[in-house]
Amino acid sequence: MSSNPRTFRTPVRLIVSVEAATVAAVDDLMAGGSHHRHRNRSEFVRLAIERELARCRGDDFRAR
């Protein structure tokens, strides 16, 4: 998995819908002075997806 979104060889746009409260929570987290600061929402979501995939693989997730 890529750690830099600018180096994707075959980028694909993914559109997701989430609750407004979730977006507000992400925005609050990004605006805070904590170490969880991200550049934008899409980077936050991309990293969350990659973390979830890694976690699922640890639970015998079978990648296709």
Side-chain angles (χ1 to χ4, degrees):
M1 293 185 206
S2 175
S3 61
N4 184 348
R6 293 174 187 84
T7 61
F8 290 154
R9 295 186 192 272
T10 54
V12 175
R13 180 164 288 198
L14 175 67
I15 299 172
V16 298
S17 297
V18 296
E19 294 289 335
T22 303
V23 174
V26 170
D27 288 348
D28 288 345
L29 186 64
M30 289 190 314
S34 70
H35 69 279
H36 294 289
R37 195 163 197 151
H38 297 278
R39 293 178 187 253
N40 56 48
R41 289 181 196 146
S42 61
E43 179 67 4
F44 183 92
V45 171
R46 184 187 68 79
L47 291 170
I49 290 169
E50 289 187 357
R51 278 191 218 100
E52 183 65 11
L53 284 171
R55 187 183 72 79
C56 289
R57 283 192 185 106
D59 294 338
D60 292 327
F61 176 74
R62 303 211 194 291
R64 295 178 192 203

